[in-house]
Amino acid sequence: MLKVAVLAGGGGTNLQAIIDAHKAGKLPDTELSFVLSNKPDAYALVRARDYGIEQVVVDSASFSRAQFEEKLMDEIEKRQPDLIVLAGLMIMIPKELCRKYKNRIINIHPSLIPSFCGKGFYGLKVHEAALKKGVKVTGATVHFVDEIYDNGPIIIQKAVEVKDGDTPEILQRRVMEEAEWKILPEAIRLIACGSVSVLDGVVKIQN
Ligand code: GAR
């Protein structure tokens, strides 16, 4: 049984996609163990509560960065998840966590990495940048997390068409619906069934 922690800071639609997949029996051998948020008012926490998942808050606004990192590490370490899923967490996780959980932390990013990623590229900003550049195709990426923003080995990517008249909000929604909400649960499923390995920084998937 893969014990999964989801770290989310916002509306939690990606968390909801994971919950829906779990509810539908599409994530066998997976336990949704706890949801941790750095924001006490994150709607992701309501989604967790409604599905009976433990909710943990480490309020990043109430602590210094060092205190926040220590508390976050404590909460995670005492629960010992097998996999940590970053689903809309808009704050950098501690480097120590990246090291301790090497190839056991995944992140969903709303572009085709290496485009529109790295520091400053998150949420709506990613889609604003894609539209500004005039790309015709964008998408989403699930990747393992290392100590550098949006840098770790890529697990799954899915392309999404950019259409005339798109606003950042419209494009964000399409990327979520057509890509993010599919590839994030799928990546968890593949990891849970032992199909994902990393060799020399590159992911291999055996189905
Ligand atoms: C998602 O689009 C996710 O890809 C993005 O934030 C949104 C969270 O939505 N994450 C990043 O930009 C991380 N760099 P959600 O809270 O509804 O899942």
Side-chain angles (χ1 to χ4, degrees):
M1 189 68 85
L2 188 83
K3 191 172 169 185
V4 177
V6 180
L7 274 50
T13 65
N14 277 287
L15 168 65
Q16 192 62 52
I18 297 166
I19 291 173
D20 292 347
H22 191 263
K23 210 189 268 181
K26 292 179 187 162
L27 296 177
D29 300 323
T30 299
E31 177 203 348
L32 302 183
S33 172
F34 65 99
V35 169
L36 187 150
S37 183
N38 65 308
K39 292 195 174 161
D41 59 350
Y43 194 68
L45 294 167
V46 176
R47 298 179 193 273
R49 187 200 61 202
D50 289 351
Y51 195 55
I53 307 171
E54 184 192 6
Q55 310 116 63
V56 184
V57 176
V58 182
D59 186 355
S60 51
S62 305
F63 301 114
S64 67
R65 176 70 200 183
Q67 286 170 326
F68 170 73
E69 290 203 356
E70 196 185 322
K71 287 191 185 297
L72 187 85
M73 290 296 299
D74 278 359
E75 295 295 350
I76 291 173
E77 291 281 76
K78 71 184 179 208
R79 293 176 178 81
Q80 293 282 309
D82 300 310
L83 178 71
I84 298 172
V85 178
L86 308 185
L89 192 79
M90 303 302 183
I91 190 165
M92 191 75 178
I93 58 164
K95 288 197 185 330
E96 189 190 349
L97 191 68
C98 299
R99 285 192 289 271
K100 276 197 174 162
Y101 284 78
K102 187 167 183 227
N103 294 338
R104 289 195 293 144
I105 308 176
I106 63 173
N107 178 50
I108 178 83
H109 183 77
S111 75
L112 295 174
I113 288 175
S115 289
F116 310 114
C117 63
K119 206 168 168 24
F121 286 99
Y122 57 86
L124 215 49
K125 288 178 190 293
V126 177
H127 305 291
E128 284 165 2
L131 289 174
K132 196 167 176 208
K133 186 68 190 172
V135 293
K136 306 303 175 211
V137 174
T138 183
T141 303
V142 180
H143 65 94
F144 284 112
V145 171
D146 64 13
E147 292 174 39
I148 302 167
Y149 271 113
D150 302 328
N151 181 69
I154 290 169
I155 306 168
I156 311 182
Q157 292 187 300
K158 192 164 191 298
V160 173
E161 194 188 342
V162 179
K163 297 185 180 170
D164 282 351
D166 273 352
T167 63
E169 290 80 6
I170 290 171
L171 185 57
Q172 178 181 52
R173 183 75 192 182
R174 189 179 313 117
V175 169
M176 284 176 158
E177 282 176 0
E178 293 183 11
E180 295 186 46
W181 299 342
K182 295 179 178 168
I183 64 175
L184 187 55
E186 176 61 4
I188 296 170
R189 186 190 73 77
L190 288 168
I191 291 168
C193 67
S195 298
V196 179
S197 55
V198 185
L199 188 65
D200 296 334
V202 174
V203 166
K204 277 233 168 342
I205 296 179
Q206 280 134 349
N207 275 305

